[in-house]
Amino acid sequence: MLLAFSVAPSGTPASGSRPTDASVHDAVAAAVRIVRESGLPNRTSSMFTEIEGEWDEVFDVVKRATEAVGEFGSRVSLVIKADIRPGYSGELSAKVERLEQALG
């Protein structure tokens, strides 16, 4: 499966106040670090992180990343989009390659 997700904290963290610039880069970095350390194929853009693997392993990584972001606020927003296509792998880059070929 391919899974794209975005996770961000809101509210005040239990450990004290946060910077007032509304930036969430430290929280996102904590999540992306977990994804990258998972060893699963992944890619991060400005809005989403994509990860590829089997259902249970992908959702385990997303759960751990979400929990890490929870340390940065009293609430967490999680957006998920998945492409579940049994029998296929390497689609993280193959889908984009097919698109580029179609564009000529």
Side-chain angles (χ1 to χ4, degrees):
M1 85 179 325
L2 285 177
L3 186 137
F5 76 103
S6 175
V7 60
S10 63
T12 304
S15 61
S17 64
R18 63 186 170 139
T20 58
D21 68 357
S23 179
V24 296
H25 64 271
D26 289 333
V28 172
V32 172
R33 187 172 295 112
I34 288 169
V35 172
R36 291 183 179 174
E37 290 174 355
S38 75
L40 295 175
N42 66 84
R43 176 174 39 222
T44 298
S45 69
S46 61
M47 296 288 293
F48 284 92
T49 294
E50 298 169 307
I51 186 168
E52 182 173 13
E54 297 298 319
W55 184 279
D56 289 339
E57 61 189 359
V58 168
F59 273 96
D60 174 64
V61 172
V62 171
K63 179 182 180 188
R64 291 187 289 119
T66 302
E67 290 169 345
V69 168
E71 299 296 319
F72 292 84
S74 56
R75 300 177 83 165
V76 176
S77 171
L78 175 64
V79 176
I80 296 175
K81 181 174 182 178
D83 180 1
I84 303 161
R85 194 173 184 193
Y88 286 79
S89 63
E91 291 294 283
L92 189 65
S93 58
K95 287 179 78 167
V96 176
E97 290 167 5
R98 288 191 299 273
L99 171 64
E100 292 297 334
Q101 287 176 350
L103 291 171

